[in-house]
Amino acid sequence: SAIVSVRASEHHDLEPKPLLVKTETMADAASAAAPPKKVDFHKKFEEATQMRVEGVALFKEGNTSAAQQKFAFAMLSTKAMLPRGSTGGSDDGMGGMGGMMGGMMGSLDPSIPKELVEPVKDLHCALLNNMASILMNTGKVDRAIDRLSETLSIRPNDTTALARRAKANWKANKLGGCEKDVLKLLELDPTHKEGLKLKKQVDEKNAEYDKKQKNMFKGMFS
């Protein structure tokens, strides 16, 4: 009887269960058939520009957190408007909020008007430079370097980004990176005050290192 009861139980488990079928409503069908909503790129550009203006004002007032939010949201908009491959894969400087928001912003129509591509790139780079300033002021030097590197991947001759990355590399004790940026900066603008100041610091550091090396070898062979 024990065997019979087990087989009966197994037979019960094999009985077909009702299938749950999702019914498509007329609203769902209409939504799927509707053409994608056209993006007003000029409006998006103006909104991002305004957010940057507000962010700069907040930064000057000392409201770093609010300024960072303005820059981050504006960056999400500009990055989504740019053609794919125009920007690097860096975050928004807010510890991952960009990843959460990027999915929503990334669905924008990629057919941005040609006359807006360069202005949007300029705005995106300006926002990256703004964000880098905040990150440096809050001690996040390596992340600031990342933001400035993204700017320079788009605009290799951006003197603002070169000067700030040189300064950030100096703070991070990355002498080689600092020297490389300074030389490029002074090639583009030989009278750049920050560049000249950093070059002097780099030259002094190199001279100090050379002197230590000479003394070390002198001690080894004396």
Side-chain angles (χ1 to χ4, degrees), residues 149-169:
S149 295
E150 187 175 342
T151 295
L152 292 166
S153 72
I154 302 169
R155 295 281 188 253
N157 295 333
D158 187 314
T159 55
T160 299
L162 280 167
R164 290 181 186 175
R165 192 172 72 173
K167 188 175 181 181
N169 277 319

Side-chain angles (χ1 to χ4, degrees), residues 160-222:
T160 299
L162 280 167
R164 290 181 186 175
R165 192 172 72 173
K167 188 175 181 181
N169 277 319
W170 176 263
K171 282 189 173 185
N173 201 28
K174 297 178 180 179
L175 192 61
C178 177
E179 185 172 25
K180 184 179 177 181
D181 286 341
V182 164
L183 291 175
K184 178 71 180 288
L185 174 62
L186 292 177
E187 181 185 330
L188 295 167
D189 183 0
T191 62
H192 196 285
K193 290 183 180 180
E194 187 69 27
L196 291 169
K197 179 182 176 182
L198 283 168
K199 187 177 187 305
K200 183 180 178 182
Q201 292 175 331
V202 169
D203 289 344
E204 289 174 353
K205 200 77 171 177
N206 282 332
E208 183 183 328
Y209 176 78
D210 290 342
K211 184 177 179 180
K212 285 182 179 179
Q213 290 293 99
K214 286 179 182 179
N215 289 337
M216 183 180 71
F217 284 111
K218 185 178 179 182
M220 288 173 63
F221 297 105
S222 60

Side-chain angles (χ1 to χ4, degrees), residues 111-132:
S111 57
I112 180 172
K114 289 182 179 180
E115 71 272 13
L116 270 184
V117 172
E118 294 306 314
V120 170
K121 283 184 179 181
D122 288 339
L123 178 57
H124 188 68
C125 289
L127 288 162
L128 285 165
N129 292 345
N130 293 144
M131 185 65 79

Side-chain angles (χ1 to χ4, degrees), residues 15-210:
E15 288 180 359
K17 295 181 173 66
L19 296 176
L20 297 176
V21 180
K22 183 180 178 181
T23 57
E24 188 181 63
T25 65
M26 292 183 65
D28 292 332
S31 176
K37 189 176 181 181
K38 189 175 180 181
V39 178
D40 186 340
F41 286 103
H42 288 86
K43 183 179 179 181
K44 288 283 182 186
F45 178 73
E46 290 172 5
E47 289 172 349
T49 301
Q50 183 59 33
M51 277 191 279
R52 178 177 180 255
V53 170
E54 293 170 4
V56 170
L58 289 164
F59 183 66
K60 288 180 178 179
E61 293 170 5
N63 194 341
T64 304
S65 178
Q68 188 174 12
Q69 287 185 348
K70 290 286 184 181
F71 295 146
F73 277 106
M75 278 170 55
L76 290 172
S77 185
T78 53
K79 191 167 186 175
M81 283 191 283
L82 289 174
R84 290 181 182 179
S86 298
T87 66
S90 63
D91 64 37
D92 60 352
M94 294 195 70
M97 190 181 77
M100 180 176 66
M101 294 296 296
M104 293 186 285
M105 300 296 292
S107 60
L108 290 177
D109 186 344
S111 57
I112 180 172
K114 289 182 179 180
E115 71 272 13
L116 270 184
V117 172
E118 294 306 314
V120 170
K121 283 184 179 181
D122 288 339
L123 178 57
H124 188 68
C125 289
L127 288 162
L128 285 165
N129 292 345
N130 293 144
M131 185 65 79
S133 293
I134 289 179
L135 291 168
M136 283 183 66
N137 286 353
T138 53
K140 300 179 178 69
V141 180
D142 286 336
R143 290 175 67 189
I145 292 172
D146 289 342
R147 301 295 81 71
L148 295 165
S149 295
E150 187 175 342
T151 295
L152 292 166
S153 72
I154 302 169
R155 295 281 188 253
N157 295 333
D158 187 314
T159 55
T160 299
L162 280 167
R164 290 181 186 175
R165 192 172 72 173
K167 188 175 181 181
N169 277 319
W170 176 263
K171 282 189 173 185
N173 201 28
K174 297 178 180 179
L175 192 61
C178 177
E179 185 172 25
K180 184 179 177 181
D181 286 341
V182 164
L183 291 175
K184 178 71 180 288
L185 174 62
L186 292 177
E187 181 185 330
L188 295 167
D189 183 0
T191 62
H192 196 285
K193 290 183 180 180
E194 187 69 27
L196 291 169
K197 179 182 176 182
L198 283 168
K199 187 177 187 305
K200 183 180 178 182
Q201 292 175 331
V202 169
D203 289 344
E204 289 174 353
K205 200 77 171 177
N206 282 332
E208 183 183 328
Y209 176 78
D210 290 342

